[in-house]
Amino acid sequence: DVKVTQSSRYLVKRTGEKVFLECVQDMDHENMFWYRQDPGLGLRLIYFSYDVKMKEKGDIPEGYSVSREKKERFSLILESASTNQTSMYLCASSELPLAGGRSNEQFFGPGTRLTVL
Amino acid sequence: DAKTTQPTSMDCAEGRAANLPCNHSTISGNEYVYWYRQIHSQGPQYIIHGLKNNETNEMASLIITEDRKSSTLILPHATLRDTAVYYCIVNFGNEKLTFGTGTRLTIIP
């Protein structure tokens, strides 16, 4: 089974701290994603990566950066955490879709609930 | 990616078929319909996807209308464990998925 793991289920940080959220997948997937989920807003894409050292901005990248030094690991960085970054953060991975539109099923981790005080 | 419209919430009796509708009237010819669900305190889970034809797997069936402007996810014999938020997503099959707020399905004992 595909496994996507996230470093913490719950995290509490203070305003201004630098925060690292780690995600590891074990299926050699090319694509990795970071989402945040807030009540009433659904899941929103922050950043994604389709290869090592490659990254693309999602819909809400402001206040975040990412790092993908190894294929299996994708890190989300909050350079200076703020209270409006309190949220559930979800990491996902998927294979590259094949020609002809094969399913790009995304496999999600369990999430990290981050609270910024 | 085409926008989707889903009811905010639905109830279904345990053991009955749960039918979850989704409207995607602006879908283009090459866009797929995907369904995911999210059980409380877990990450989303892929259920099924389709392009034009109806699809069935061990979890559910997907019925897409002939004009492709709407679809229905069917859970044939709903159990309490099917209580979750269900997301309908329309996508070209590229890497990005856009999740809306979905339908909160509650299975009633």
Side-chain angles (χ1 to χ4, degrees):
Chain A
D1 283 350
V2 175
K3 198 164 183 183
V4 179
T5 57
Q6 296 184 227
S7 49
S8 305
R9 288 302 304 270
Y10 300 93
L11 205 54
V12 179
K13 296 292 182 180
R14 297 214 173 267
T15 302
E17 280 193 78
K18 190 169 186 176
V19 182
F20 292 88
L21 302 182
E22 305 286 344
C23 175
V24 177
Q25 50 94 4
D26 66 359
M27 281 300 291
D28 202 37
H29 282 169
E30 289 81 7
N31 302 323
M32 296 189 75
F33 308 82
W34 275 107
Y35 296 86
R36 64 177 282 177
Q37 185 172 28
D38 303 286
L41 296 177
L43 274 79
R44 293 179 291 167
L45 182 64
I46 305 171
Y47 268 97
F48 67 102
S49 168
Y50 52 88
D51 201 354
V52 175
K53 297 191 186 295
M54 305 300 288
K55 61 184 179 184
E56 293 282 342
K57 292 180 180 179
D59 300 319
I60 51 164
E62 296 79 19
Y64 303 94
S65 62
V66 290
S67 172
R68 185 128 182 241
E69 295 296 318
K70 293 184 178 181
K71 191 174 186 180
E72 68 271 18
R73 187 180 297 269
F74 192 35
S75 302
L76 180 70
I77 303 156
L78 288 65
E79 293 287 343
S80 178
S82 64
T83 55
N84 63 11
Q85 293 178 309
T86 291
S87 185
M88 169 69 84
Y89 290 88
L90 289 155
C91 175
S93 73
S94 72
E95 297 178 299
L96 276 174
L98 301 178
R102 177 181 171 179
S103 164
N104 64 331
E105 174 185 357
Q106 291 189 17
F107 295 86
F108 283 81
T112 296
R113 185 166 294 281
L114 172 67
T115 301
V116 182
L117 302 176
Chain B
D1 293 344
K3 185 183 167 99
T4 62
T5 304
Q6 300 177 251
T8 303
S9 63
M10 292 180 63
D11 293 339
C12 178
E14 188 178 16
R16 296 289 190 118
N19 296 282
L20 291 92
C22 180
N23 286 323
H24 31 80
S25 58
T26 59
I27 193 170
S28 65
N30 297 325
E31 286 186 298
Y32 291 78
V33 180
Y34 291 85
W35 283 84
Y36 282 73
R37 74 179 183 183
Q38 187 173 21
I39 294 170
H40 183 62
S41 298
Q42 297 182 20
Q45 175 192 25
Y46 167 85
I47 301 172
I48 199 167
H49 80 287
L51 182 62
K52 293 180 183 177
N53 300 320
N54 298 335
E55 302 287 344
T56 295
N57 63 19
E58 65 277 3
M59 289 181 69
S61 295
L62 174 60
I63 308 297
I64 302 173
T65 57
E66 193 169 341
D67 64 8
R68 302 188 70 240
K69 293 185 177 182
S70 65
S71 60
T72 301
L73 178 75
I74 301 172
L75 309 178
H77 304 287
T79 71
L80 298 179
R81 288 177 295 180
D82 292 321
T83 291
V85 177
Y86 288 77
Y87 298 97
C88 169
I89 301 160
V90 173
N91 184 271
F92 284 104
N94 58 17
E95 294 80 4
K96 290 174 60 174
L97 293 175
T98 300
F99 288 78
T101 52
T103 297
R104 183 173 298 278
L105 175 67
T106 302
I107 306 302
I108 310 296

